[in-house]
Amino acid sequence: MPSAPHLSPNVVSTAMPPLASTRETNRARREGKQEAKEGPTPASTRPGIVYMSRVPPKLTPAKLRRLLEAHGEVSRVYLAPSPTAQARGTRQYVEGWIEFAEGKVAKRVATLLNGAAMGGRRRSAHFEDLWTLQYLPRLTWNQLTEDVAARKATRRQRLQMEVAAARAEGEFYAQHAQKKKKNKNQEAKKEPEQGEPA
């Protein structure tokens, strides 16, 4: 009986795994549906969101992620840019939200670090700044992104209204300037006609 060829650990086998029977596949589908009907995931495995009310200057999302990953797995980071800094072309952030993979970890990080020095390298710009963190229970990332999108839409709408009002005001002044110029031209034409003897 020939022996199976010896495979080195670097070689990947191309053999297909055996196909599951239809009965096993259907059973797995039913179990998946039953798990879905059981309800939401337990609170321990739900992601948790921490709010950062003040972001120190020169702190970027990557640096923030690096500082917080020492305490737990960070899923997402969003820092809201400062409108005045955007106008100047610099990157500065006002506030931020950090999503941790587990809610327990998020709560622990918020209570542990709030009011403590940020630390990091001694020469870093935010070494002596303090953490300003607050755990937000029951907030999901989707709710957060919807809120940010609503704020952006409101701001965009307000800017459009201001631009439309400024445009209407400019057109109003331009029309009145044209009328005034036209009236002056007509008066200038009438004056020589009145000054000539008839």
Side-chain angles (χ1 to χ4, degrees):
M1 179 168 169
S3 64
H6 177 70
L7 296 176
S8 66
N10 296 335
V11 177
V12 178
S13 173
T14 58
M16 295 291 291
L19 295 173
S21 70
T22 310
R23 184 177 294 164
E24 291 172 2
T25 308
N26 290 340
R27 184 181 311 133
R29 283 188 194 145
R30 281 193 305 269
E31 288 173 2
K33 287 180 183 177
Q34 287 174 354
E35 289 174 6
K37 289 179 183 177
E38 288 175 4
T41 58
S44 61
T45 59
R46 280 191 212 137
I49 296 180
V50 174
Y51 172 67
M52 187 173 191
S53 61
R54 180 187 172 276
V55 180
K58 299 184 182 179
L59 182 66
T60 62
K63 284 183 186 177
L64 179 62
R65 180 183 289 269
R66 205 171 30 245
L67 287 170
L68 290 175
E69 278 187 340
H71 302 284
E73 183 183 346
V74 176
S75 302
R76 302 177 215 182
V77 174
Y78 175 74
L79 297 179
S82 169
T84 56
Q86 277 184 333
R88 287 182 278 155
T90 59
R91 286 194 177 210
Q92 194 170 358
Y93 302 98
V94 181
E95 58 187 356
W97 291 267
I98 304 106
E99 182 184 48
F100 286 88
E102 294 183 21
K104 286 182 179 180
V105 173
K107 190 173 186 177
R108 188 185 75 227
V109 167
T111 55
L112 178 71
L113 294 180
N114 190 30
M118 283 190 149
R121 294 184 181 177
R122 271 214 185 269
R123 292 186 178 192
S124 70
H126 49 271
F127 177 75
E128 293 181 359
D129 282 316
L130 300 178
W131 288 107
T132 54
L133 301 175
Q134 182 180 1
Y135 175 65
L136 302 173
R138 299 184 204 99
L139 182 73
T140 63
W141 196 261
N142 291 338
Q143 292 170 335
L144 178 65
T145 53
E146 287 171 4
D147 184 47
V148 170
R151 285 185 193 177
K152 282 183 181 179
T154 304
R155 183 172 180 268
R156 188 179 310 121
Q157 193 176 28
R158 187 174 57 237
L159 286 172
Q160 286 175 347
M161 288 174 50
E162 289 175 6
V163 167
R167 185 176 293 137
E169 188 177 334
E171 289 174 1
F172 175 78
Y173 286 124
Q175 286 175 354
H176 281 281
Q178 286 177 353
K179 284 182 183 179
K180 191 173 184 178
K181 188 175 181 181
K182 192 175 182 181
N183 288 342
K184 280 186 180 180
N185 288 341
Q186 287 177 353
E187 288 177 11
K189 286 181 181 179
K190 287 182 182 179
E191 286 178 9
E193 292 175 5
Q194 292 175 359
E196 295 177 8

